Amino acid sequence: YILSRLIKGSIQPLLPNQCWIWKGKGAGGYGDINIDHKRYKIHRLSAYIHFNYNLMDYDNQVNHKVECINKRCWNPEHIYVGTCKDNIKDQVLKHEHHEAGRTHCPNGHPYDKYHYRSSTGGINRGCKTCNREKMRRLRLKWKSEESSEKNV
């Protein structure tokens, strides 16, 4: 029943290597469908049908692969079950992440090899210069607290 509704609601014929585009749009550009008065995202339903994905799984999510740039696509070859961290990595690779285009830290230091620090594949990035200054201020604060405790 669900699969037949998905096929009828798609824009073009369903060819294996192409995006299967859902004609309806929902929040954030993703394809939505109502089934029994409940709204579902198309790519999540596709994972439910093709991968036996549990729609109540809150530890994982259904992500579009880097090669697929269409949020309304529900081709099982273009989606995978992953984590939020996986999705952020994909967004960075596709230059879709809201911080992917930043070239400088908020204090104006460039994100280059001298000022840039990265962990977990570039997801948590920051400025080495700002971090050094922050740590210097903290060490001074701790030192002054130590000396004030000794004087008491």
Side-chain angles (χ1 to χ4, degrees), residues 64-87:
H64 286 92
K65 293 180 179 177
V66 176
E67 302 82 32
C68 182
I69 58 169
N70 196 320
K71 293 181 178 182
R72 293 186 296 154
C73 176
W74 61 279
N75 184 339
E77 293 179 13
H78 293 195
I79 60 175
Y80 68 97
V81 176
T83 63
C84 181
K85 191 183 227 180
D86 296 331
N87 199 24

Side-chain angles (χ1 to χ4, degrees), residues 85-103:
K85 191 183 227 180
D86 296 331
N87 199 24
I88 291 171
K89 286 180 183 178
D90 292 347
Q91 288 173 350
V92 169
L93 288 172
K94 291 193 268 189
H95 303 288
E96 289 180 350
H97 194 269
H98 65 279
E99 294 206 7
R102 290 195 183 173
T103 58

Side-chain angles (χ1 to χ4, degrees), residues 112 130 136:
D112 60 16
C130 291
R136 185 182 58 78

Side-chain angles (χ1 to χ4, degrees), residues 13-40:
L14 305 180
L15 301 174
N17 296 326
Q18 294 182 352
C19 287
W20 299 354
I21 309 298
W22 179 251
K23 66 182 173 186
K25 257 190 188 174
Y30 291 93
D32 285 356
I33 186 172
N34 285 318
I35 298 174
D36 296 330
H37 307 291
K38 185 162 172 54
R39 184 172 294 270
Y40 295 96

Side-chain angles (χ1 to χ4, degrees), residues 98-106 108-112 115-116 125 127:
H98 65 279
E99 294 206 7
R102 290 195 183 173
T103 58
H104 289 73
C105 80
H109 303 117
Y111 283 138
D112 60 16
H115 297 92
Y116 178 81
R125 66 180 183 176
C127 179

